[in-house]
């Protein structure tokens, strides 16, 4: 019996020790882990601080080489600089010529065109009132005038011709008219307008003939009106009214009586700048209109 008790106690002691061992196992594991970490860190620190440890540095010899590029590269760079300099010089020359010299050339060309004493050969409207369009055209051609007939729509009652100044052919005038007179330079505009006129005949309600031209010589709207009245042979006709209309035109109107009948006429003038926005043309240029109706 005593032996049984001893055995039983031994078993209890053994189980107790096992239980205690099991309770201590996690703590020991933690201690072992911590001690291992501390040991590894101490090894790293000691390794980093070891005087015999080798530090590897990159080879810096390549940075000590001269910075001068090879000869072919230097030549290529020099060539590029030369080309850039030439292009820059060409651009500056073009810009300077266009901004400074071109306006001067236009002004001189315009002055040359206006200084020429070109005949206008203005037609008197009164003798034309009794003529048909074909006869009017042949009359101009027989007088040696350079006439450009504008295309007309089918069955249109309006017929129009343009008298070209000396030295301007129909192709040049047509190109300017198509692009727009106010879109060309002052020199080309003066070349076309000085000595030219356009005549429009409207036969829808009676006969209505209108003549337009630019006066570069009169220097004022009043003088241009009087010059047109004299050129049309209307000086001795009846003057009924004169003044300025709602559009800013200075005008004189009246009637003329002769062998072909009595017709009303009106001469008006306005600064050319009010009609065409052409920079460089004389500010005193005048746009003149003469109308005669049955």
């Amino acid at each position: 019996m005593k032996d049984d008790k001893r055995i039983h106690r031994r078993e209890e002691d053994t189980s107790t020790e096992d239980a205690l061992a099991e309770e201590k196992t996690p703590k020991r594991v933690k201690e072992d882990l911590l001690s291992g970490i501390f040991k590894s860190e101490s090894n790293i620190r000691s390794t980093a601080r070891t005087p015999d440890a080798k530090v590897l540095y990159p080879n810096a010899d390549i940075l000590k080489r001269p910075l001068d590029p090879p000869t072919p590269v230097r030549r290529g760079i020099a060539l590029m600089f030369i080309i850039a300099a030439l292009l820059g010089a060409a651009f500056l020359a073009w810009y300077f010529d266009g901004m400074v010299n071109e306006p001067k050339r236009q002004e001189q060309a315009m002055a040359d065109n206006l200084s020429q004493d070109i005949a206008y050969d203005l037609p008197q409207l009164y003798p034309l009132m009794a003529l048909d369009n074909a006869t009017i055209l042949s009359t101009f051609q027989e007088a040696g005038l350079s006439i450009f007939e504008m295309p007309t729509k089918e069955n249109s009652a309006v017929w129009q011709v343009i008298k070209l100044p000396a030295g301007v052919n129909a192709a040049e005038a047509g190109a300017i008219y198509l692009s727009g007179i106010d879109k060309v330079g002052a020199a080309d505009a003066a070349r076309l307008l000085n000595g030219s006129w356009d005549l429009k005949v409207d036969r829808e309600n009676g006969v209505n003939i209108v003549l337009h031209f630019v006066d570069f010589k009169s220097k004022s709207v009043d003088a241009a009106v009087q010059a047109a009245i004299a050129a049309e042979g209307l000086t001795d006709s009846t003057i009924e009214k004169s003044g300025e209309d709602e559009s800013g035109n200075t005008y004189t109107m009246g009637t003329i009586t002769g062998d072909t009948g009595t017709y009303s006429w009106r001469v008006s003038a306005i600064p050319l700048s009010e009609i065409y926005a052409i920079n460089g043309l004389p500010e005193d240029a005048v746009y003149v209109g003469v109308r005669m109706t049955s």
Side-chain angles (χ1 to χ4, degrees):
M1 294 295 292
K2 292 181 178 179
D3 294 333
D4 294 337
K5 291 180 179 179
R6 291 177 181 174
I7 294 171
H8 182 68
R9 287 178 180 175
R10 288 178 181 175
E11 291 177 353
E12 290 180 353
D13 294 339
T14 304
S15 60
T16 302
E17 292 178 356
D18 294 338
L20 293 173
E22 290 176 0
E23 292 178 358
K24 293 179 179 179
T25 299
K27 293 181 180 180
R28 289 178 180 175
V29 170
K30 291 180 181 179
E31 291 176 357
D32 293 340
L33 291 174
L34 291 174
S35 63
I37 292 172
F38 289 141
K39 288 179 180 179
S40 62
E41 287 184 354
S42 63
N43 290 334
I44 294 172
R45 291 174 185 171
S46 61
T47 302
R49 294 176 181 176
T50 300
D52 297 335
K54 294 182 178 180
V55 179
L56 299 178
Y57 296 98
N59 187 356
D61 292 342
I62 192 173
L63 301 177
K64 298 178 182 179
R65 294 187 307 178
L67 297 178
D68 296 335
T71 301
V73 176
R74 290 200 303 270
R75 291 176 179 173
I77 294 174
L79 181 60
M80 291 176 62
F81 273 113
I82 293 173
I83 294 174
L86 292 175
L87 291 176
F91 174 78
L92 289 176
W94 170 81
Y95 178 81
F96 181 82
D97 183 69
M99 296 299 293
V100 178
N101 294 332
E102 182 59 24
K104 293 181 179 179
R105 284 195 296 267
Q106 287 284 335
E107 184 178 355
Q108 184 60 46
M110 182 200 66
D112 294 340
N113 290 333
L114 294 181
S115 64
Q116 299 178 18
D117 189 14
I118 299 177
Y120 273 79
D121 296 315
L122 293 175
Q124 290 190 353
L125 302 189
Y126 183 78
L128 303 180
M129 295 295 292
L131 305 179
D132 57 24
N133 297 341
T135 305
I136 293 174
L137 179 60
S138 63
T139 300
F140 293 157
Q141 292 172 341
E142 290 172 1
L145 304 181
S146 178
I147 299 296
F148 176 74
E149 187 175 3
M150 298 290 289
T152 57
K153 296 181 180 179
E154 187 177 357
N155 299 325
S156 175
V158 179
W159 177 73
Q160 184 177 5
V161 294
I162 297 174
K163 183 260 181 181
L164 303 178
V168 178
N169 57 44
E172 292 175 321
I176 294 176
Y177 277 109
L178 287 176
S179 63
I181 296 178
D182 54 349
K183 298 296 190 300
V184 301
D188 289 335
R191 183 166 171 258
L192 178 65
L193 296 175
N194 186 28
S196 70
W197 45 260
D198 68 87
L199 182 80
K200 183 183 294 185
V201 181
D202 187 349
R203 301 182 183 277
E204 186 173 2
N205 295 310
V207 180
N208 183 12
I209 301 180
V210 181
L211 173 69
H212 289 117
F213 62 94
V214 178
D215 186 340
F216 291 102
K217 297 179 179 180
S218 296
K219 306 300 181 182
S220 70
V221 291
D222 292 319
V225 169
Q226 297 304 316
I229 290 175
E232 288 296 314
L234 302 173
T235 305
D236 296 331
S237 65
T238 303
I239 295 178
E240 299 175 349
K241 190 176 181 181
S242 63
E244 183 174 324
D245 61 19
E246 63 279 0
S247 300
N249 295 283
T250 298
Y251 72 94
T252 297
M253 57 188 299
T255 57
I256 182 172
T257 301
D259 297 338
T260 59
T262 300
Y263 304 106
S264 299
W265 59 266
R266 185 178 189 269
V267 177
S268 60
I270 194 171
L272 180 62
S273 58
E274 298 292 329
I275 304 299
Y276 297 122
I278 305 174
N279 294 326
L281 285 179
E283 296 181 358
D284 54 10
V286 182
Y287 188 77
V288 182
V290 181
R291 182 187 298 272
M292 191 166 288
T293 59
S294 60

